[in-house]
Amino acid sequence: MRIGLVLGGGGAKGAYQVGVYKALCEAGIDASAFGCIAGTSVGALNALLFAVKNVEDAEKMWYEMRTILPRSKSLFVVLGILNAILNEIELRPLLLAAGVGLIFWSFAAFVIYRAAAVARRFSFLRNDELRRRVEEMVPELQQRASPKLFATVARERAFAHPWYETEYESEWIKERVHRQNDPGKFMTKWVPEYVEVRKLTLENQVSTFLTTSAIPLALPIRKDAKGWLCDGGIVDNLPMAAATNLAECDALIVVSLNSDDAPTAQTIQAIIDRKWADATIPNLGAHQKLELIESVKANGGNWLLGTPGRRTISFENIIVIAPSRPLTTIDFWGLRFIYGTMNFSDGALSKWIQLGHQDAEQALKAHALTKSARTAPSNRLGLV
């Protein structure tokens, strides 16, 4: 049985995953026990860190994280407000309740999204120090045989989606881009791209780790020959699809950094199917899409189940580890970003590492994992 470790994104909250990894190591399960480690944003950086460093060095490096990014509370306040607006976190009801109404909201949304478009070529912070740290670790990765590493990036794609009805405007666009034969509605959207890091050159490995953690507006996003790329967290913050469908893992340990919307073992297959379809459909040719449409029609009409490369995983073989309390020192909508995602203070990091260790011990205990385990990695988890 191949086991995958999935690490979610969340900025400074990634310290929680260090505590989880410490508990795993104490149970005799280090990075070499996994068939793959898949991460998004800081989760991808932690995947690299765990693959090349022992847990003590990983924890030490996390306490040095505050030196990697410039610290500016006023800047993070602005970013926190923008983050809240873009995600509509409790903000629209507040505006309506205050009598501001839809006119102000429409104007605010227009301004923010236009600013987000301009931000493709602009960032508040630089990632020079982060780049230096990644460049130090990437060569060490080449000296180790396992595990496979996947980093999730968000890529902007223009494509025809076969499960959305086409319309006049869509057909006009397809004609202009010579895609008339593509069935479905033509659209432009950000989709997940799961990058197997070891298959890249050293330079591209570094770029991938920087891109997966490039929060729009905060850090520089990237453009390559295929288009724009940025923080994978905007499309798939828990890249379970990479671990199951690409690395062919039969069991998962999933580490979420959000206490309020962490998946359950029973809901994970549906999440995997949706994200896998998002990542796969844009890469299909017109003929493959037509074949997919006919196949799905013949098998009940659920197009998520017909996506090429789809695999299933038993919920009994999934362990979900999530914070037992919110990872923020001030739990209020716009401030969660400032005092959670961007809070690299020693006090916060220490608390979150301890909480990760505590939560992981409880979760692993429920699956009969013990420190005295000496069997093959596939059996250490008490999975079936």
Side-chain angles (χ1 to χ4, degrees):
M1 181 179 290
R2 184 187 296 270
I3 304 164
L5 177 63
V6 179
L7 303 174
K13 297 186 292 184
Y16 177 87
Q17 294 169 348
V18 177
V20 172
Y21 187 59
K22 182 186 290 189
L24 288 170
C25 289
E26 290 173 354
I29 305 171
D30 61 11
S32 64
F34 295 101
C36 116
I37 305 179
T40 295
S41 195
V42 74
L45 295 175
N46 273 338
L48 173 63
L49 188 60
F50 299 160
V52 301
K53 302 289 185 182
N54 59 44
V55 68
E56 291 80 13
D57 288 340
E59 185 172 357
K60 179 182 178 182
M61 186 168 291
W62 258 94
Y63 283 118
E64 297 172 354
M65 285 291 285
R66 64 189 304 172
T67 65
I68 293 180
L69 294 176
R71 303 186 70 208
S72 170
K73 282 291 178 66
S74 59
L75 167 61
F76 292 152
V77 167
V78 173
L79 291 176
I81 293 173
L82 291 175
N83 178 272
I85 293 174
L86 289 172
N87 289 284
E88 301 181 41
I89 302 175
E90 303 176 18
L91 188 60
R92 188 180 297 191
L94 288 175
L95 289 173
L96 296 177
V100 179
L102 291 173
I103 295 177
F104 179 83
W105 171 255
S106 299
F107 175 74
F110 172 79
V111 172
I112 294 301
Y113 285 110
R114 294 294 291 179
V118 174
R120 295 185 178 205
R121 299 189 179 275
F122 172 79
S123 62
F124 285 105
L125 305 177
R126 296 177 60 86
N127 60 4
D128 297 344
E129 181 62 19
L130 179 60
R131 173 181 289 275
R132 186 181 70 80
R133 299 295 182 101
V134 171
E135 287 175 342
E136 289 175 355
M137 289 189 288
V138 161
E140 297 181 50
L141 189 61
Q142 312 311 310
Q143 302 170 14
R144 300 172 186 260
S146 63
K148 291 183 177 180
L149 290 188
F150 287 89
T152 309
V153 298
R155 180 179 287 280
E156 189 179 44
R157 296 291 302 272
F159 63 100
H161 201 300
W163 302 114
Y164 291 90
E165 289 188 9
T166 189
E167 53 194 23
Y168 175 78
E169 181 182 1
S170 179
E171 290 300 314
W172 179 78
I173 295 174
K174 285 195 287 187
E175 184 175 349
R176 292 200 59 170
V177 297
H178 307 292
R179 302 275 289 276
Q180 299 97 316
N181 296 327
D182 260 11
K185 181 179 180 180
F186 198 83
M187 60 181 65
T188 299
K189 64 181 293 188
W190 293 92
V191 299
E193 185 171 294
Y194 307 116
V195 182
E196 187 171 353
V197 178
R198 290 181 181 275
K199 292 185 176 182
L200 304 177
T201 63
L202 289 181
E203 181 181 355
N204 285 336
Q205 287 183 31
V206 172
S207 294
T208 297
F209 282 117
L210 294 177
T211 302
T212 187
S213 55
I215 303 172
L217 294 177
L219 291 167
I221 68 173
R222 181 165 64 96
K223 187 177 185 182
D224 64 10
K226 297 180 181 179
W228 288 98
L229 304 99
C230 70
D231 192 317
I234 70 172
V235 288
D236 189 359
N237 209 35
L238 280 171
M240 299 173 289
T244 55
N245 296 343
L246 292 178
E248 300 184 345
C249 292
D250 308 296
L252 297 179
I253 298 179
V254 180
V255 187
S256 173
L257 297 179
N258 298 313
S259 58
D260 53 354
D261 62 351
T264 64
Q266 290 78 8
T267 62
I268 279 178
Q269 184 64 58
I271 296 172
I272 291 174
D273 290 343
R274 186 171 66 254
K275 297 300 183 182
W276 182 246
D278 287 344
T280 304
I281 295 296
N283 297 319
L284 299 181
H287 182 68
Q288 291 174 300
K289 291 176 183 176
L290 291 170
E291 287 184 342
L292 177 58
I293 291 172
E294 294 305 316
S295 173
V296 171
K297 285 180 179 178
N299 291 285
N302 189 333
W303 65 274
L304 291 176
L305 305 184
T307 307
R310 175 183 181 265
R311 297 179 78 249
T312 59
I313 185 169
S314 170
F315 74 88
E316 296 177 345
N317 289 348
I318 299 171
I319 298 174
V320 178
I321 303 173
S324 53
R325 58 179 182 269
L327 299 179
T328 179
T329 53
I330 298 181
D331 190 13
F332 185 70
W333 60 273
L335 300 181
R336 290 174 187 165
F337 183 82
I338 309 161
Y339 292 97
T341 305
M342 302 305 293
N343 188 355
F344 289 93
S345 67
D346 289 348
L349 298 182
S350 177
K351 288 179 181 178
W352 297 338
I353 290 173
Q354 291 175 18
L355 184 62
H357 186 267
Q358 172 187 315
D359 290 344
E361 283 189 324
Q362 292 298 317
L364 298 175
K365 188 183 299 182
H367 284 262
L369 185 144
T370 65
K371 293 182 180 181
S372 59
R374 292 292 184 270
T375 55
S378 60
N379 294 323
R380 291 180 185 168
L381 303 178
L383 300 171
V384 295

